[in-house]
């Protein structure tokens, strides 16, 4: 969907919508953060800083897609190590440690990723239509 998109197009906000660049960057960042919770960890200062900067324009298509690929590969590698016997183990999300399970977090990673992918594709189509 982004093959011929410029950096400017990726960060465009047609009708004040969130940019496709944000959604793509957020996919990589959210996978990384949710995978941290999946491992039972807490977010690092670097992850928190990256979260605050997700909407800042400027990263190129290549940079955004490389970050997504890296986050997905790291998450996949960890998913392959999970013992199915631990799928019901408790996990917490966020500062409030909202309760979930290992299985719940795996499903949430997929759902959250697809939600933002859909929003990115819709925004890309709108940017194209508006010329």
């Amino acid at each position: 969907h982004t093959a011929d998109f410029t950096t400017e197009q990726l960060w465009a906000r047609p009708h004040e919508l969130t940019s496709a660049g944000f959604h793509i960057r957020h996919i990589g960042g959210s996978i990384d953060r949710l995978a941290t919770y999946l491992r039972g960890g807490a977010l690092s200062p670097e992850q928190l800083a990256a979260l605050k900067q997700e909407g800042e324009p400027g990263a190129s298509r290549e940079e955004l897609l490389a970050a997504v690929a890296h986050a997905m590969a790291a998450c996949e590698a960890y998913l392959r190590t999970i013992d199915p016997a631990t799928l019901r183990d408790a996990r917490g999300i966020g500062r409030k440690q909202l309760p979930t399970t290992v299985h719940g977090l795996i499903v949430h990673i997929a759902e959250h990723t697809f939600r933002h992918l859909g929003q990115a594709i819709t925004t890309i189509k709108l940017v194209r239509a508006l010329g």
Side-chain angles (χ1 to χ4, degrees):
H1 293 281
T2 63
D4 60 345
F5 249 43
T6 65
T7 299
E8 181 179 274
Q9 288 172 308
L10 278 171
W11 292 99
R13 297 187 60 209
H15 302 290
E16 298 185 34
L17 294 173
T18 305
S19 68
F22 164 80
H23 290 294
I24 296 167
R25 183 182 280 155
H26 183 71
I27 289 169
S30 64
I31 290 171
D32 177 59
R33 290 185 297 276
L34 291 169
T36 297
Y37 296 133
L38 183 61
R39 291 188 299 272
L43 298 185
S44 69
E46 293 80 16
Q47 286 171 307
L48 292 170
L51 173 61
K52 291 178 183 177
Q53 296 174 348
E54 283 183 349
E56 292 183 16
S60 70
R61 172 186 174 272
E62 292 75 19
E63 291 168 326
L64 293 171
L65 295 178
V68 170
H70 176 76
M72 291 180 83
C75 186
E76 178 188 0
Y78 180 72
L79 288 170
R80 292 181 181 278
T81 70
I82 293 175
D83 179 352
T86 67
L87 290 175
R88 293 186 180 171
D89 287 1
R91 291 293 185 267
I93 299 177
R95 284 172 239 160
K96 295 182 180 182
Q97 287 295 287
L98 299 173
T100 190
T101 62
V102 169
H103 180 258
L105 261 168
I106 292 169
V107 170
H108 185 62
I109 290 168
E111 289 176 336
H112 191 85
T113 298
F114 280 108
R115 173 182 177 255
H116 284 281
L117 176 60
Q119 288 178 299
I121 291 169
T122 299
T123 304
I124 288 166
K125 288 180 176 183
L126 183 57
V127 169
R128 283 188 202 285
L130 294 174

